[in-house]
Amino acid sequence: MNASSHTGTLYLVPNLLGAVPPLNVLPQRTIDIARGLTHWVVETPKVARAFIKTIAPPQPIATLDIVELGSTPSLDPEQASTLLAPLKNGSDVGLLSDAGCPGVADPGAALVAVAHDAGLRVVPLVGPSAILLALMASGMNGQSFVFHGYLPVNAVERAAALQRLERASLALVQTQIFIETPYRNVAMLGAIASALQPGTRVCVAADLTLPTETIVRTSAGRWKQHDHAAFGKRPALFVLQA
């Protein structure tokens, strides 16, 4: 179905990955479009307001229509109708994640799908994606890769999951990417050093786009020699290739 000229556009607005000036990571076009939006659907309103403040909108933030999407992977018809109402009435809407690109490892994908089903125009804007930045920096296979989100918290299950990813990487010649809650990074690095084969390559990309950005790629065996605590409580992506 083609989008009607009388309906608004759903803009997918990438958020910052941390406290940096927007122009460091966002093109001027993305900032200009985001500044002009008065309707927003967001993952977390407090985080959204902080982002919107950094791009200096011409209108007071308190006057903006900011609606929380929530974290559920699907939308019921009534909720979807409410969220899409401004679009159907001719207003543009910005979809905003807490960090990075909406719809990528993010509940916003559900709203994008519903917008397509309704024949509404969807426009992705350029901005940072931690997953792609980590893959780019890893030097690993960018032709075939999988993002797995979070691995199990339980130590035994986590080790088993790492070994499954290692086997899949070897069998498919495929890069495996995953994330961890920052306060569990030290435990994850310990598991990587002990559960994987010594020669398996692992890249850890922490604080991407920030002044403290750190990217280290070495073998699982050599991760035993690194200071795991240096990555504690820092947002990080883990990239693995056997």
Side-chain angles (χ1 to χ4, degrees):
M1 184 185 299
N2 294 324
S4 167
S5 59
H6 301 294
T7 58
T9 296
L10 179 63
Y11 286 104
L12 313 185
V13 183
N15 202 339
L16 311 176
L17 299 181
V20 295
L23 279 171
N24 282 14
V25 293
L26 296 176
Q28 188 65 56
R29 175 175 179 266
T30 295
I31 294 172
D32 289 343
I33 291 173
R35 278 177 175 158
L37 296 171
T38 57
H39 296 272
W40 292 86
V41 176
V42 305
E43 186 175 358
T44 307
K46 182 178 180 180
V47 176
R49 291 188 184 96
F51 166 75
I52 295 169
K53 182 179 179 180
T54 68
I55 60 173
Q59 61 276 70
I61 294 176
T63 66
L64 301 177
D65 175 34
I66 299 175
V67 181
E68 184 174 4
L69 175 64
S71 58
T72 57
S74 60
L75 297 172
D76 63 60
E78 183 177 352
Q79 183 186 15
S81 177
T82 299
L83 295 175
L84 295 178
L87 290 160
K88 293 179 177 179
N89 291 331
S91 297
D92 296 334
V93 174
L95 176 62
L96 187 71
S97 175
D98 281 353
C101 296
V104 180
D106 170 74
L111 184 63
V112 176
V114 173
H116 281 302
D117 290 343
L120 298 167
R121 183 173 180 240
V122 174
V123 174
L125 299 180
V126 176
S129 165
I131 297 168
L132 289 180
L133 290 172
L135 177 62
M136 290 163 59
S138 72
M140 298 181 193
N141 187 1
Q143 298 289 344
S144 179
F145 58 92
V146 179
F147 176 65
H148 297 274
Y150 294 90
L151 300 191
V153 175
N154 176 273
V156 174
E157 295 175 358
R158 179 172 54 216
L162 284 168
Q163 290 166 353
R164 283 196 299 272
L165 299 190
E166 185 178 52
R167 291 194 297 270
S169 177
L170 187 61
L172 301 172
V173 193
Q174 186 178 69
T175 301
Q176 310 292 317
I177 307 171
F178 53 95
I179 196 169
E180 183 52 280
T181 300
Y183 70 83
R184 286 199 290 263
N185 284 348
V186 173
M188 177 59 76
L189 285 168
I192 284 169
S194 61
L196 299 178
Q197 294 297 315
T200 293
R201 292 157 288 177
V202 178
C203 178
V204 181
D207 293 345
L208 287 164
T209 74
L210 308 185
T212 53
E213 179 179 272
T214 305
I215 300 169
V216 177
R217 170 191 150 139
T218 190
S219 66
R222 290 186 176 178
W223 271 108
K224 294 178 181 179
Q225 303 165 17
H226 278 266
D227 178 15
H228 297 173
F231 291 90
K233 299 181 180 180
R234 300 170 67 187
L237 270 291
F238 298 82
V239 190
L240 174 159
Q241 189 173 359

